[in-house]
Amino acid sequence: SLKFQKREKNNMRKKSLFNATDFPSLMYPCFTFCRILGLCPYKINNSTFETSKPHYILSITATSALCVMHLIFLKYNKGFTKINFETATTSLEAYGFYILFVFLTIGTLVLSNPRMRLLQTIMDVSSRLSPKSYQKLSRLIHIKDIFGLFYVILLISIYFYKMSIDIMNIMSSTYAVLLIFQMDMLYINCICVLKACFKDINSNLQHMQELIVNSEPCAPMLFCYEQRNPFLIMKLKILKKQHMMISNTVQMLNRIFSVQLLASMILTFCQISLHMYIYLIEWHDGLLVISLNGRAGELILLTMIYYIIKWALIAWACETCKNQAQEIRTTIHDVLNSAKDEQIKDELQSFSLQILHRKNIFSSKGFTIDATFLTTMVGTITTYTLILLQFLIISHSCDENSTINITRIM
């Protein structure tokens, strides 16, 4: 019987992959990868998130060990001892990565309990979604989580295969990259679930509009019409309360993920800007040449694809969820124009006023994450890369002038 139960559980898990029916099955791949990394020190028991001591011990141990390792790397990094612009930028990148990762790892551990409460809230809010909605979400989320992780592992493997780095640095850097990736994927997953919740409210309002239009009062149907009005008012109050809960969840998501998202943002900016400078640009015979051959070309291409896809997904999720939330306002006004009953109109106006005061946008420490932010980020990266190139030109010009002066003196 035990073997049969295990087989049933395995079959259920296989069926839930790409075919989720609830929140735990939807987040199953992401939660599994997070538990392996020690990022989710909790378990789900009867639709309730509970803390798990073994996972907490694993999380604390991994955080402490990796923070110590990165502090050691900071101490023994001697890049700034050489007076060289290229070496200085490489060392700056390494120092920034180590310091940022130490704070990010500690912050991830400290925010474990708030993150657990957030996931519990999202699971409660999304409990009204139909299994069909979860199935549609799972096709995107499961593919993104599984294939995205494989791509990151492939990228890390190629990087360390081509670069001669010690094993301790490989372990710590791999964990750092996977931690940031998994937290970003968890953030995207939460936004996608909230977007589905907003879409469900909008669909209910559209269905309500059809009921109002098709049930205009006439003499034979007056009794049925009077009976349906209280039902519609009650339904509106439920949708209004549901919208309030989802809006509060959006604010909670912004608070809990703001530090992690800001760190990922800074890391992406620094990595792309400095890697474009370090690996792409070479100086040959007094001319700037873009070099895409050798070990740099493959790494640059794969790294750029990774960062572009990841931040495109983040911006897409935030933008579409914001648009879905704003679409509810338009639907409410359409229903308001169709309604004749004063009580229904009052309830709709109250709902519209609530939406007006709840701006469901996604932000991180003052930065609004949307499509506009993505274009601004691309422009900023381009600008700072050009600034680095100008410093490179100046440094080489100074070297040439000093060489000419020395030759003349001799």
Side-chain angles (χ1 to χ4, degrees), residues 123-173:
M123 184 164 64
D124 295 338
V125 167
S126 63
S127 61
R128 296 177 179 272
L129 295 177
S130 63
K132 187 176 180 180
S133 299
Y134 280 113
Q135 289 175 4
K136 290 181 179 179
L137 282 173
S138 64
R139 293 166 191 166
L140 168 67
I141 290 177
H142 290 179
I143 290 174
K144 172 183 64 64
D145 290 343
I146 295 173
F147 289 98
L149 181 65
F150 286 157
Y151 184 85
V152 172
I153 293 174
L154 175 65
L155 180 61
I156 294 171
S157 302
I158 294 174
Y159 180 82
F160 290 122
Y161 175 75
K162 292 181 176 292
M163 302 293 181
S164 56
I165 303 176
D166 58 278
I167 187 65
M168 298 297 289
N169 207 335
I170 290 175
M171 291 174 58
S172 61
S173 300

Side-chain angles (χ1 to χ4, degrees), residues 25 65-66 73 78 89 91 101 120 122 160 169-170 188 197 225 250 290 319 324 350 360 367 382 388:
S25 60
L66 287 159
F73 293 149
K78 303 297 183 181
T89 52
S91 300
F101 177 67
Q120 180 67 58
I122 294 177
F160 290 122
N169 207 335
I170 290 175
I188 295 173
C197 294
Y225 177 78
V250 171
I290 298 179
E319 181 74 19
Q324 188 65 61
S350 176
N360 291 296
F367 295 97
T382 305
L388 286 174

Side-chain angles (χ1 to χ4, degrees), residues 205 208-209 212-213 216-217 225 228-237 240 329 331-355:
L205 286 171
M208 186 178 297
Q209 183 183 9
I212 292 174
V213 171
E216 290 298 324
Y225 177 78
R228 184 170 291 182
N229 269 358
F231 168 76
L232 294 176
I233 293 172
M234 183 178 65
K235 184 69 174 177
L236 275 173
K237 289 181 178 179
K240 182 180 175 183
R329 185 187 308 172
T331 306
I332 286 178
H333 286 288
D334 292 340
V335 179
L336 187 61
N337 293 331
S338 303
K340 303 297 182 182
D341 187 82
E342 292 299 327
Q343 291 181 338
I344 294 178
K345 283 187 174 182
D346 291 341
E347 199 64 39
L348 286 169
Q349 288 174 353
S350 176
F351 198 174
S352 178
L353 187 63
Q354 174 181 302
I355 293 176

Side-chain angles (χ1 to χ4, degrees), residues 98-117:
Y98 292 144
I99 294 172
L100 189 65
F101 177 67
V102 168
F103 283 107
L104 181 60
T105 308
I106 296 173
T108 303
L109 178 63
V110 171
L111 292 172
S112 294
N113 283 334
R115 192 163 56 248
M116 182 182 70
R117 290 193 293 270

Side-chain angles (χ1 to χ4, degrees), residues 3 14 29 135-136 169 194 202 222 234-235 247 346 369 374 403:
K3 290 183 179 179
K14 289 179 181 178
Q135 289 175 4
K136 290 181 179 179
N169 207 335
L194 293 177
N202 195 54
L222 185 60
M234 183 178 65
K235 184 69 174 177
S247 300
D346 291 341
I369 312 299
L374 185 63
T403 303

Side-chain angles (χ1 to χ4, degrees), residues 31-247:
F31 284 164
T32 302
F33 300 144
C34 287
R35 286 194 187 99
I36 293 173
L37 296 173
L39 303 178
C40 290
Y42 26 79
K43 58 184 178 180
I44 302 176
N45 187 15
N46 295 326
S47 300
T48 304
F49 281 88
E50 297 178 352
T51 56
S52 174
K53 289 184 179 180
H55 288 100
Y56 250 115
I57 294 172
L58 173 63
S59 181
I60 294 172
T61 304
T63 301
S64 303
L66 287 159
C67 286
V68 170
M69 289 171 61
H70 278 79
L71 290 174
I72 292 173
F73 293 149
L74 279 172
K75 181 179 179 181
Y76 291 102
N77 191 345
K78 303 297 183 181
F80 281 121
T81 58
K82 299 179 181 179
I83 308 301
N84 185 292
F85 185 69
E86 289 86 349
T87 306
T89 52
T90 307
S91 300
L92 180 64
E93 179 193 12
Y95 272 92
F97 179 79
Y98 292 144
I99 294 172
L100 189 65
F101 177 67
V102 168
F103 283 107
L104 181 60
T105 308
I106 296 173
T108 303
L109 178 63
V110 171
L111 292 172
S112 294
N113 283 334
R115 192 163 56 248
M116 182 182 70
R117 290 193 293 270
L118 170 67
L119 294 173
Q120 180 67 58
T121 303
I122 294 177
M123 184 164 64
D124 295 338
V125 167
S126 63
S127 61
R128 296 177 179 272
L129 295 177
S130 63
K132 187 176 180 180
S133 299
Y134 280 113
Q135 289 175 4
K136 290 181 179 179
L137 282 173
S138 64
R139 293 166 191 166
L140 168 67
I141 290 177
H142 290 179
I143 290 174
K144 172 183 64 64
D145 290 343
I146 295 173
F147 289 98
L149 181 65
F150 286 157
Y151 184 85
V152 172
I153 293 174
L154 175 65
L155 180 61
I156 294 171
S157 302
I158 294 174
Y159 180 82
F160 290 122
Y161 175 75
K162 292 181 176 292
M163 302 293 181
S164 56
I165 303 176
D166 58 278
I167 187 65
M168 298 297 289
N169 207 335
I170 290 175
M171 291 174 58
S172 61
S173 300
T174 300
Y175 184 86
V177 173
L178 290 176
L179 182 146
I180 295 171
F181 172 77
Q182 283 303 137
M183 294 304 295
D184 288 339
M185 293 302 104
L186 181 62
Y187 179 75
I188 295 173
N189 294 348
C190 292
I191 294 176
C192 289
V193 174
L194 293 177
K195 182 177 71 173
C197 294
F198 282 126
K199 186 176 181 180
D200 182 66
I201 293 177
N202 195 54
S203 299
N204 285 325
L205 286 171
Q206 290 174 348
H207 179 66
M208 186 178 297
Q209 183 183 9
E210 294 176 0
L211 289 177
I212 292 174
V213 171
N214 296 329
S215 62
E216 290 298 324
C218 57
M221 300 292 294
L222 185 60
F223 179 73
C224 294
Y225 177 78
E226 290 177 353
Q227 277 191 330
R228 184 170 291 182
N229 269 358
F231 168 76
L232 294 176
I233 293 172
M234 183 178 65
K235 184 69 174 177
L236 275 173
K237 289 181 178 179
I238 293 173
L239 292 177
K240 182 180 175 183
K241 183 179 179 181
Q242 186 179 357
H243 182 272
M244 179 67 73
M245 292 174 61
I246 299 171
S247 300

